[in-house]
């Protein structure tokens, strides 16, 4: 499984740092939605789902957390601990977010508006979806 982590360009000067993100330039899709989670309680794991078509970039803009990615064949854990790093999460990818530091703010840039019908929340259903999706993608 290929993990795609973007390293954004910080514009630093003696005042501090600034990161700017533009769709189709720094982010590989049109950004239709931004959301973020904070105050995540200790030992909480969020996610436990995949998406049929949504693509996202996850950026831990403060603190740190870990993301477990699972494409149905392989799993990888990716730490996010820098405000200038973004993890690309494709569709057909099971995700779990965990190990949040108390000060963590996880911001997500999403390619689509919120749509509950795009979620796959059952792991067995995901495995079946990923299998068919993989076969289609590989031709
Ligand atoms: C994902 C991971 C990384 C909305 O009303 N609008 C929204 O855009 C979102 C994302 C959520 N919500 C509501 C739905 C739930 O009542 O906020 C509540 C918490 O959402 P959820 O339980 O889906 O949160 P996570 O952390 O499990 O998953 C979220 C995203 O939903 C998901 O797409 O990939 O973050």
């Amino acid at each position: 499984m290929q993990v795609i982590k973007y390293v954004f360009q910080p514009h630093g000067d003696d005042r501090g740092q600034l990161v700017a993100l533009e769709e189709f330039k720094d982010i590989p899709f049109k950004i239709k939605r931004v959301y973020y989670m904070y105050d995540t309680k200790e030992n909480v794991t969020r996610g436990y789902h995949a998406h049929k078509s949504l693509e996202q970039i996850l950026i831990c803009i403060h603190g740190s957390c870990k993301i477990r990615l699972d494409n149905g064949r392989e799993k990888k854990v990716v730490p996010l601990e820098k405000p200038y790093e973004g993890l690309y999460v494709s569709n057909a990818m099971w995700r779990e977010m965990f190990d949040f530091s108390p000060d963590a703010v996880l911001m997500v840039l999403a390619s689509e508006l919120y749509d509950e019908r795009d979620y796959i929340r059952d792991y067995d259903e995901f495995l079946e979806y990923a299998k068919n999706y993989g076969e289609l993608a590989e031709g």
Side-chain angles (χ1 to χ4, degrees):
M1 184 202 303
Q2 199 196 356
V3 171
I4 303 176
K5 217 179 196 188
Y6 289 85
V7 179
F8 306 120
Q9 178 67 59
H11 302 279
D13 57 29
D14 51 12
R15 297 170 297 174
Q17 304 294 330
L18 185 155
V19 173
L21 302 173
E22 293 185 17
E23 55 195 19
F24 299 126
K25 187 175 158 205
D26 311 283
I27 304 299
F29 49 75
K30 184 168 175 58
I31 302 163
K32 287 204 185 162
R33 178 166 53 109
V34 177
Y35 62 91
Y36 49 90
M37 53 202 84
Y38 61 96
D39 263 357
T40 310
K41 304 297 174 241
E42 220 184 328
N43 299 321
V44 158
T45 300
R46 305 189 63 123
Y48 294 111
H49 58 255
H51 282 278
K52 292 175 191 162
S53 30
L54 187 71
E55 297 174 85
Q56 304 190 107
I57 299 272
L58 276 56
I59 307 169
C60 197
I61 54 173
H62 196 258
S64 62
C65 65
K66 293 194 176 93
I67 316 295
R68 183 176 296 111
L69 295 178
D70 174 354
N71 65 4
R73 285 166 289 188
E74 228 184 305
K75 296 180 192 188
K76 278 202 177 151
V77 171
V78 184
L80 283 181
E81 46 203 21
K82 304 271 194 277
Y84 53 81
E85 282 182 351
L87 175 66
Y88 175 74
V89 181
S90 69
N91 64 325
M93 184 73 76
W94 190 264
R95 79 283 319 265
E96 295 167 14
M97 303 84 78
F98 64 103
D99 214 5
F100 287 83
S101 62
D103 58 349
V105 181
L106 179 61
M107 184 177 78
V108 182
L109 310 180
S111 66
E112 302 296 337
L113 302 179
Y114 180 68
D115 183 359
E116 185 55 40
R117 291 167 303 178
D118 193 62
Y119 284 72
I120 305 171
R121 296 191 181 275
D122 179 84
Y123 190 67
D124 289 335
E125 193 187 321
F126 160 69
L127 289 179
E128 193 59 27
Y129 186 89
K131 197 168 137 237
N132 296 331
Y133 183 82
E135 280 164 10
L136 280 175
E138 283 155 22

